[in-house]
Amino acid sequence: NAGVMQNPRHLVRRRGQEARLRCSPMKGHSHVYWYRQLPEEGLKFMVYLQKENIIDESGMPKERFSAEFPKEGPSILRIQQVVRGDSAAYFCASSPQGPSTGELFFGEGSRLTVL
Amino acid sequence: KNEVEQSPQNLTAQEGEFITINCSYSVGISALHWLQQHPGGGIVSLFMLSSGKKKHGRLIATINIQEKHSSLHITASHPRDSAVYICAVRDYGGSQGNLIFGKGTKLSVKP
């Protein structure tokens, strides 16, 4: 049973380009969470999704960021018109149950560098 | 004041020493997580606690709900335990998916 798979592991973009980060949860997990870790800072929650639904996006910036978790395929975190401040590690986690009871399984992260 | 405070921020130990990392929080919680992050690497979930104590190998995690405090202990520490240890809480009254993270404790175990 493969763990949470994130790709790409490293992504370099120029300012104004788009970044797409993908997360495949563990088999049987229908709950996906995205977190951001800025350089020298702690992790911050961004968004919580279940299949085809955004449950909680209270941590997402209001502009340029979007997330989806389609019926088929991985969850995608999309950042449009990237700026240098978007440079960070983006971690995905999945759980078999909801957040109040579900243990979390994290991916290796996607490290975005904006030039 | 941060809602989740960890101490110490940095910790250096000799191989074999008993290590304690502390986490205090100010919100009502439904669960507390201890996570491990190696430099440049991914995050591993060590424990999820809502009460009492859990043990896995050389790692022990305890939580005191009344005092809003948790500790992570490592017995017979080894250089491979060198990592950042992160405490995170699920706010009982907060939004569904939100974990609130501490800033982490950077542990270095010398051989």
PDB file of all heavy atoms in Angstrom, chain B residues 5-13 18-24 34 69-72 83-87 102-108:
ATOM      1  N   GLU B   5       2.685  26.344  21.834  1.00  0.00           N
ATOM      2  CA  GLU B   5       4.064  26.694  22.179  1.00  0.00           C
ATOM      3  C   GLU B   5       4.859  25.434  22.460  1.00  0.00           C
ATOM      4  O   GLU B   5       4.410  24.578  23.240  1.00  0.00           O
ATOM      5  CB  GLU B   5       4.093  27.575  23.432  1.00  0.00           C
ATOM      6  CG  GLU B   5       3.416  28.928  23.269  1.00  0.00           C
ATOM      7  CD  GLU B   5       4.354  29.977  22.730  1.00  0.00           C
ATOM      8  OE1 GLU B   5       5.522  29.653  22.424  1.00  0.00           O
ATOM      9  OE2 GLU B   5       3.920  31.130  22.600  1.00  0.00           O
ATOM     10  N   GLN B   6       6.036  25.328  21.860  1.00  0.00           N
ATOM     11  CA  GLN B   6       6.897  24.187  22.112  1.00  0.00           C
ATOM     12  C   GLN B   6       8.168  24.644  22.803  1.00  0.00           C
ATOM     13  O   GLN B   6       8.665  25.742  22.570  1.00  0.00           O
ATOM     14  CB  GLN B   6       7.283  23.509  20.789  1.00  0.00           C
ATOM     15  CG  GLN B   6       6.162  22.721  20.177  1.00  0.00           C
ATOM     16  CD  GLN B   6       6.637  21.939  18.957  1.00  0.00           C
ATOM     17  OE1 GLN B   6       6.085  22.081  17.878  1.00  0.00           O
ATOM     18  NE2 GLN B   6       7.645  21.092  19.135  1.00  0.00           N
ATOM     19  N   SER B   7       8.692  23.765  23.640  1.00  0.00           N
ATOM     20  CA  SER B   7       9.988  24.035  24.259  1.00  0.00           C
ATOM     21  C   SER B   7      10.741  22.726  24.447  1.00  0.00           C
ATOM     22  O   SER B   7      10.126  21.680  24.703  1.00  0.00           O
ATOM     23  CB  SER B   7       9.800  24.742  25.611  1.00  0.00           C
ATOM     24  OG  SER B   7       9.106  23.894  26.513  1.00  0.00           O
ATOM     25  N   PRO B   8      12.085  22.760  24.315  1.00  0.00           N
ATOM     26  CA  PRO B   8      12.840  23.922  23.861  1.00  0.00           C
ATOM     27  C   PRO B   8      12.727  24.096  22.345  1.00  0.00           C
ATOM     28  O   PRO B   8      12.190  23.233  21.658  1.00  0.00           O
ATOM     29  CB  PRO B   8      14.268  23.553  24.263  1.00  0.00           C
ATOM     30  CG  PRO B   8      14.303  22.062  24.145  1.00  0.00           C
ATOM     31  CD  PRO B   8      12.942  21.592  24.564  1.00  0.00           C
ATOM     32  N   GLN B   9      13.235  25.206  21.828  1.00  0.00           N
ATOM     33  CA  GLN B   9      13.274  25.406  20.372  1.00  0.00           C
ATOM     34  C   GLN B   9      14.341  24.532  19.738  1.00  0.00           C
ATOM     35  O   GLN B   9      14.160  23.998  18.651  1.00  0.00           O
ATOM     36  CB  GLN B   9      13.595  26.861  20.057  1.00  0.00           C
ATOM     37  CG  GLN B   9      12.398  27.779  20.055  1.00  0.00           C
ATOM     38  CD  GLN B   9      12.764  29.146  19.515  1.00  0.00           C
ATOM     39  OE1 GLN B   9      13.534  29.861  20.159  1.00  0.00           O
ATOM     40  NE2 GLN B   9      12.235  29.499  18.383  1.00  0.00           N
ATOM     41  N   ASN B  10      15.476  24.456  20.423  1.00  0.00           N
ATOM     42  CA  ASN B  10      16.599  23.650  19.956  1.00  0.00           C
ATOM     43  C   ASN B  10      17.093  22.792  21.097  1.00  0.00           C
ATOM     44  O   ASN B  10      17.109  23.237  22.247  1.00  0.00           O
ATOM     45  CB  ASN B  10      17.750  24.546  19.457  1.00  0.00           C
ATOM     46  CG  ASN B  10      17.365  25.320  18.223  1.00  0.00           C
ATOM     47  OD1 ASN B  10      17.323  24.776  17.127  1.00  0.00           O
ATOM     48  ND2 ASN B  10      17.049  26.589  18.383  1.00  0.00           N
ATOM     49  N   LEU B  11      17.518  21.590  20.774  1.00  0.00           N
ATOM     50  CA  LEU B  11      17.966  20.652  21.801  1.00  0.00           C
ATOM     51  C   LEU B  11      19.094  19.807  21.233  1.00  0.00           C
ATOM     52  O   LEU B  11      18.938  19.196  20.178  1.00  0.00           O
ATOM     53  CB  LEU B  11      16.787  19.766  22.231  1.00  0.00           C
ATOM     54  CG  LEU B  11      17.013  18.716  23.291  1.00  0.00           C
ATOM     55  CD1 LEU B  11      17.546  19.326  24.565  1.00  0.00           C
ATOM     56  CD2 LEU B  11      15.697  17.985  23.569  1.00  0.00           C
ATOM     57  N   THR B  12      20.215  19.804  21.942  1.00  0.00           N
ATOM     58  CA  THR B  12      21.339  18.947  21.559  1.00  0.00           C
ATOM     59  C   THR B  12      21.546  17.924  22.667  1.00  0.00           C
ATOM     60  O   THR B  12      21.582  18.286  23.850  1.00  0.00           O
ATOM     61  CB  THR B  12      22.616  19.774  21.354  1.00  0.00           C
ATOM     62  OG1 THR B  12      22.382  20.723  20.315  1.00  0.00           O
ATOM     63  CG2 THR B  12      23.772  18.872  20.937  1.00  0.00           C
ATOM     64  N   ALA B  13      21.672  16.682  22.299  1.00  0.00           N
ATOM     65  CA  ALA B  13      21.829  15.609  23.281  1.00  0.00           C
ATOM     66  C   ALA B  13      22.919  14.657  22.836  1.00  0.00           C
ATOM     67  O   ALA B  13      23.272  14.592  21.650  1.00  0.00           O
ATOM     68  CB  ALA B  13      20.508  14.854  23.436  1.00  0.00           C
ATOM     69  N   PHE B  18      18.056  10.511  27.623  1.00  0.00           N
ATOM     70  CA  PHE B  18      16.590  10.578  27.654  1.00  0.00           C
ATOM     71  C   PHE B  18      16.183  12.008  27.296  1.00  0.00           C
ATOM     72  O   PHE B  18      16.703  12.955  27.861  1.00  0.00           O
ATOM     73  CB  PHE B  18      16.091  10.209  29.053  1.00  0.00           C
ATOM     74  CG  PHE B  18      14.605  10.234  29.211  1.00  0.00           C
ATOM     75  CD1 PHE B  18      13.833   9.148  28.820  1.00  0.00           C
ATOM     76  CD2 PHE B  18      13.957  11.339  29.756  1.00  0.00           C
ATOM     77  CE1 PHE B  18      12.454   9.157  28.978  1.00  0.00           C
ATOM     78  CE2 PHE B  18      12.580  11.361  29.915  1.00  0.00           C
ATOM     79  CZ  PHE B  18      11.827  10.263  29.528  1.00  0.00           C
ATOM     80  N   ILE B  19      15.265  12.131  26.357  1.00  0.00           N
ATOM     81  CA  ILE B  19      14.909  13.451  25.826  1.00  0.00           C
ATOM     82  C   ILE B  19      13.431  13.727  26.082  1.00  0.00           C
ATOM     83  O   ILE B  19      12.583  12.830  25.933  1.00  0.00           O
ATOM     84  CB  ILE B  19      15.195  13.494  24.309  1.00  0.00           C
ATOM     85  CG1 ILE B  19      16.704  13.581  24.089  1.00  0.00           C
ATOM     86  CG2 ILE B  19      14.485  14.664  23.636  1.00  0.00           C
ATOM     87  CD1 ILE B  19      17.132  13.185  22.716  1.00  0.00           C
ATOM     88  N   THR B  20      13.143  14.976  26.451  1.00  0.00           N
ATOM     89  CA  THR B  20      11.754  15.403  26.616  1.00  0.00           C
ATOM     90  C   THR B  20      11.528  16.688  25.838  1.00  0.00           C
ATOM     91  O   THR B  20      12.293  17.639  25.970  1.00  0.00           O
ATOM     92  CB  THR B  20      11.415  15.644  28.099  1.00  0.00           C
ATOM     93  OG1 THR B  20      11.526  14.400  28.799  1.00  0.00           O
ATOM     94  CG2 THR B  20       9.998  16.176  28.242  1.00  0.00           C
ATOM     95  N   ILE B  21      10.480  16.692  25.052  1.00  0.00           N
ATOM     96  CA  ILE B  21      10.050  17.888  24.330  1.00  0.00           C
ATOM     97  C   ILE B  21       8.642  18.218  24.805  1.00  0.00           C
ATOM     98  O   ILE B  21       7.788  17.321  24.920  1.00  0.00           O
ATOM     99  CB  ILE B  21      10.051  17.634  22.809  1.00  0.00           C
ATOM    100  CG1 ILE B  21      11.474  17.307  22.334  1.00  0.00           C
ATOM    101  CG2 ILE B  21       9.493  18.839  22.053  1.00  0.00           C
ATOM    102  CD1 ILE B  21      11.545  16.816  20.899  1.00  0.00           C
ATOM    103  N   ASN B  22       8.415  19.496  25.095  1.00  0.00           N
ATOM    104  CA  ASN B  22       7.143  19.913  25.668  1.00  0.00           C
ATOM    105  C   ASN B  22       6.297  20.717  24.700  1.00  0.00           C
ATOM    106  O   ASN B  22       6.811  21.437  23.840  1.00  0.00           O
ATOM    107  CB  ASN B  22       7.399  20.744  26.929  1.00  0.00           C
ATOM    108  CG  ASN B  22       8.073  19.937  28.001  1.00  0.00           C
ATOM    109  OD1 ASN B  22       7.530  18.947  28.479  1.00  0.00           O
ATOM    110  ND2 ASN B  22       9.289  20.330  28.374  1.00  0.00           N
ATOM    111  N   CYS B  23       4.986  20.604  24.890  1.00  0.00           N
ATOM    112  CA  CYS B  23       4.030  21.336  24.053  1.00  0.00           C
ATOM    113  C   CYS B  23       2.903  21.834  24.946  1.00  0.00           C
ATOM    114  O   CYS B  23       2.266  21.030  25.634  1.00  0.00           O
ATOM    115  CB  CYS B  23       3.489  20.412  22.968  1.00  0.00           C
ATOM    116  SG  CYS B  23       2.182  21.145  21.946  1.00  0.00           S
ATOM    117  N   SER B  24       2.680  23.132  24.936  1.00  0.00           N
ATOM    118  CA  SER B  24       1.551  23.730  25.664  1.00  0.00           C
ATOM    119  C   SER B  24       0.640  24.423  24.668  1.00  0.00           C
ATOM    120  O   SER B  24       1.111  25.019  23.696  1.00  0.00           O
ATOM    121  CB  SER B  24       2.051  24.744  26.694  1.00  0.00           C
ATOM    122  OG  SER B  24       2.835  24.115  27.666  1.00  0.00           O
ATOM    123  N   TRP B  34       1.785  14.542  17.321  1.00  0.00           N
ATOM    124  CA  TRP B  34       3.233  14.744  17.295  1.00  0.00           C
ATOM    125  C   TRP B  34       3.741  14.268  15.936  1.00  0.00           C
ATOM    126  O   TRP B  34       3.432  13.161  15.502  1.00  0.00           O
ATOM    127  CB  TRP B  34       3.914  13.969  18.417  1.00  0.00           C
ATOM    128  CG  TRP B  34       3.858  14.650  19.746  1.00  0.00           C
ATOM    129  CD1 TRP B  34       3.044  14.330  20.803  1.00  0.00           C
ATOM    130  CD2 TRP B  34       4.646  15.760  20.185  1.00  0.00           C
ATOM    131  NE1 TRP B  34       3.273  15.180  21.852  1.00  0.00           N
ATOM    132  CE2 TRP B  34       4.263  16.065  21.506  1.00  0.00           C
ATOM    133  CE3 TRP B  34       5.646  16.541  19.594  1.00  0.00           C
ATOM    134  CZ2 TRP B  34       4.830  17.100  22.246  1.00  0.00           C
ATOM    135  CZ3 TRP B  34       6.219  17.568  20.320  1.00  0.00           C
ATOM    136  CH2 TRP B  34       5.810  17.843  21.636  1.00  0.00           C
ATOM    137  N   HIS B  69      -1.304  20.399  28.168  1.00  0.00           N
ATOM    138  CA  HIS B  69       0.124  20.173  28.019  1.00  0.00           C
ATOM    139  C   HIS B  69       0.362  18.745  27.538  1.00  0.00           C
ATOM    140  O   HIS B  69      -0.320  17.804  27.964  1.00  0.00           O
ATOM    141  CB  HIS B  69       0.828  20.389  29.362  1.00  0.00           C
ATOM    142  CG  HIS B  69       2.303  20.199  29.297  1.00  0.00           C
ATOM    143  ND1 HIS B  69       2.912  18.991  29.553  1.00  0.00           N
ATOM    144  CD2 HIS B  69       3.303  21.049  28.970  1.00  0.00           C
ATOM    145  CE1 HIS B  69       4.224  19.125  29.396  1.00  0.00           C
ATOM    146  NE2 HIS B  69       4.483  20.348  29.055  1.00  0.00           N
ATOM    147  N   SER B  70       1.343  18.613  26.645  1.00  0.00           N
ATOM    148  CA  SER B  70       1.747  17.296  26.174  1.00  0.00           C
ATOM    149  C   SER B  70       3.267  17.212  26.162  1.00  0.00           C
ATOM    150  O   SER B  70       3.951  18.238  26.008  1.00  0.00           O
ATOM    151  CB  SER B  70       1.201  17.043  24.769  1.00  0.00           C
ATOM    152  OG  SER B  70       1.668  15.818  24.239  1.00  0.00           O
ATOM    153  N   SER B  71       3.781  16.029  26.344  1.00  0.00           N
ATOM    154  CA  SER B  71       5.218  15.806  26.262  1.00  0.00           C
ATOM    155  C   SER B  71       5.503  14.644  25.325  1.00  0.00           C
ATOM    156  O   SER B  71       4.728  13.676  25.268  1.00  0.00           O
ATOM    157  CB  SER B  71       5.808  15.487  27.632  1.00  0.00           C
ATOM    158  OG  SER B  71       5.745  16.599  28.485  1.00  0.00           O
ATOM    159  N   LEU B  72       6.618  14.763  24.621  1.00  0.00           N
ATOM    160  CA  LEU B  72       7.144  13.670  23.800  1.00  0.00           C
ATOM    161  C   LEU B  72       8.485  13.270  24.405  1.00  0.00           C
ATOM    162  O   LEU B  72       9.360  14.117  24.605  1.00  0.00           O
ATOM    163  CB  LEU B  72       7.339  14.126  22.353  1.00  0.00           C
ATOM    164  CG  LEU B  72       7.957  13.090  21.409  1.00  0.00           C
ATOM    165  CD1 LEU B  72       6.992  11.923  21.172  1.00  0.00           C
ATOM    166  CD2 LEU B  72       8.336  13.720  20.075  1.00  0.00           C
ATOM    167  N   ALA B  83      16.060  15.405  14.170  1.00  0.00           N
ATOM    168  CA  ALA B  83      14.963  15.847  13.300  1.00  0.00           C
ATOM    169  C   ALA B  83      14.282  17.030  13.982  1.00  0.00           C
ATOM    170  O   ALA B  83      14.634  17.409  15.101  1.00  0.00           O
ATOM    171  CB  ALA B  83      13.948  14.724  13.079  1.00  0.00           C
ATOM    172  N   VAL B  84      13.301  17.584  13.308  1.00  0.00           N
ATOM    173  CA  VAL B  84      12.423  18.580  13.943  1.00  0.00           C
ATOM    174  C   VAL B  84      11.149  17.877  14.382  1.00  0.00           C
ATOM    175  O   VAL B  84      10.530  17.149  13.591  1.00  0.00           O
ATOM    176  CB  VAL B  84      12.092  19.734  12.973  1.00  0.00           C
ATOM    177  CG1 VAL B  84      11.092  20.701  13.617  1.00  0.00           C
ATOM    178  CG2 VAL B  84      13.367  20.471  12.575  1.00  0.00           C
ATOM    179  N   TYR B  85      10.777  18.077  15.619  1.00  0.00           N
ATOM    180  CA  TYR B  85       9.565  17.471  16.171  1.00  0.00           C
ATOM    181  C   TYR B  85       8.510  18.564  16.343  1.00  0.00           C
ATOM    182  O   TYR B  85       8.768  19.604  16.945  1.00  0.00           O
ATOM    183  CB  TYR B  85       9.874  16.777  17.504  1.00  0.00           C
ATOM    184  CG  TYR B  85      10.756  15.570  17.279  1.00  0.00           C
ATOM    185  CD1 TYR B  85      12.140  15.697  17.187  1.00  0.00           C
ATOM    186  CD2 TYR B  85      10.194  14.307  17.108  1.00  0.00           C
ATOM    187  CE1 TYR B  85      12.950  14.602  16.928  1.00  0.00           C
ATOM    188  CE2 TYR B  85      11.003  13.200  16.856  1.00  0.00           C
ATOM    189  CZ  TYR B  85      12.369  13.365  16.762  1.00  0.00           C
ATOM    190  OH  TYR B  85      13.165  12.278  16.497  1.00  0.00           O
ATOM    191  N   ILE B  86       7.348  18.298  15.792  1.00  0.00           N
ATOM    192  CA  ILE B  86       6.304  19.318  15.704  1.00  0.00           C
ATOM    193  C   ILE B  86       5.060  18.835  16.441  1.00  0.00           C
ATOM    194  O   ILE B  86       4.607  17.710  16.236  1.00  0.00           O
ATOM    195  CB  ILE B  86       5.945  19.602  14.225  1.00  0.00           C
ATOM    196  CG1 ILE B  86       7.188  20.070  13.453  1.00  0.00           C
ATOM    197  CG2 ILE B  86       4.823  20.635  14.127  1.00  0.00           C
ATOM    198  CD1 ILE B  86       7.003  20.070  11.944  1.00  0.00           C
ATOM    199  N   CYS B  87       4.545  19.710  17.269  1.00  0.00           N
ATOM    200  CA  CYS B  87       3.280  19.459  17.972  1.00  0.00           C
ATOM    201  C   CYS B  87       2.176  20.199  17.208  1.00  0.00           C
ATOM    202  O   CYS B  87       2.372  21.343  16.768  1.00  0.00           O
ATOM    203  CB  CYS B  87       3.412  19.993  19.398  1.00  0.00           C
ATOM    204  SG  CYS B  87       1.904  20.016  20.363  1.00  0.00           S
ATOM    205  N   GLY B 102       2.763  24.003  16.248  1.00  0.00           N
ATOM    206  CA  GLY B 102       3.849  24.675  16.928  1.00  0.00           C
ATOM    207  C   GLY B 102       4.979  24.921  15.944  1.00  0.00           C
ATOM    208  O   GLY B 102       4.956  24.432  14.801  1.00  0.00           O
ATOM    209  N   LYS B 103       5.959  25.688  16.379  1.00  0.00           N
ATOM    210  CA  LYS B 103       7.077  26.040  15.486  1.00  0.00           C
ATOM    211  C   LYS B 103       8.118  24.932  15.392  1.00  0.00           C
ATOM    212  O   LYS B 103       9.031  25.003  14.579  1.00  0.00           O
ATOM    213  CB  LYS B 103       7.730  27.342  15.950  1.00  0.00           C
ATOM    214  CG  LYS B 103       6.830  28.555  15.764  1.00  0.00           C
ATOM    215  CD  LYS B 103       7.593  29.843  15.991  1.00  0.00           C
ATOM    216  CE  LYS B 103       6.690  31.057  15.888  1.00  0.00           C
ATOM    217  NZ  LYS B 103       6.045  31.189  14.574  1.00  0.00           N
ATOM    218  N   GLY B 104       7.971  23.919  16.235  1.00  0.00           N
ATOM    219  CA  GLY B 104       8.891  22.797  16.145  1.00  0.00           C
ATOM    220  C   GLY B 104      10.050  22.880  17.119  1.00  0.00           C
ATOM    221  O   GLY B 104      10.452  23.959  17.545  1.00  0.00           O
ATOM    222  N   THR B 105      10.584  21.722  17.463  1.00  0.00           N
ATOM    223  CA  THR B 105      11.790  21.600  18.284  1.00  0.00           C
ATOM    224  C   THR B 105      12.824  20.871  17.450  1.00  0.00           C
ATOM    225  O   THR B 105      12.583  19.739  17.010  1.00  0.00           O
ATOM    226  CB  THR B 105      11.512  20.814  19.566  1.00  0.00           C
ATOM    227  OG1 THR B 105      10.617  21.559  20.395  1.00  0.00           O
ATOM    228  CG2 THR B 105      12.802  20.528  20.317  1.00  0.00           C
ATOM    229  N   LYS B 106      13.960  21.543  17.238  1.00  0.00           N
ATOM    230  CA  LYS B 106      15.022  20.922  16.438  1.00  0.00           C
ATOM    231  C   LYS B 106      15.935  20.127  17.357  1.00  0.00           C
ATOM    232  O   LYS B 106      16.601  20.687  18.234  1.00  0.00           O
ATOM    233  CB  LYS B 106      15.817  22.000  15.701  1.00  0.00           C
ATOM    234  CG  LYS B 106      16.845  21.438  14.737  1.00  0.00           C
ATOM    235  CD  LYS B 106      17.494  22.539  13.935  1.00  0.00           C
ATOM    236  CE  LYS B 106      18.499  21.976  12.944  1.00  0.00           C
ATOM    237  NZ  LYS B 106      19.145  23.042  12.154  1.00  0.00           N
ATOM    238  N   LEU B 107      15.944  18.822  17.162  1.00  0.00           N
ATOM    239  CA  LEU B 107      16.735  17.917  17.998  1.00  0.00           C
ATOM    240  C   LEU B 107      17.959  17.436  17.237  1.00  0.00           C
ATOM    241  O   LEU B 107      17.847  16.992  16.097  1.00  0.00           O
ATOM    242  CB  LEU B 107      15.900  16.713  18.419  1.00  0.00           C
ATOM    243  CG  LEU B 107      16.657  15.580  19.134  1.00  0.00           C
ATOM    244  CD1 LEU B 107      17.193  16.050  20.474  1.00  0.00           C
ATOM    245  CD2 LEU B 107      15.749  14.354  19.307  1.00  0.00           C
ATOM    246  N   SER B 108      19.102  17.536  17.891  1.00  0.00           N
ATOM    247  CA  SER B 108      20.336  17.001  17.321  1.00  0.00           C
ATOM    248  C   SER B 108      20.944  16.047  18.342  1.00  0.00           C
ATOM    249  O   SER B 108      21.221  16.450  19.471  1.00  0.00           O
ATOM    250  CB  SER B 108      21.301  18.139  17.010  1.00  0.00           C
ATOM    251  OG  SER B 108      22.520  17.629  16.523  1.00  0.00           O
TER     252      SER B 108
END
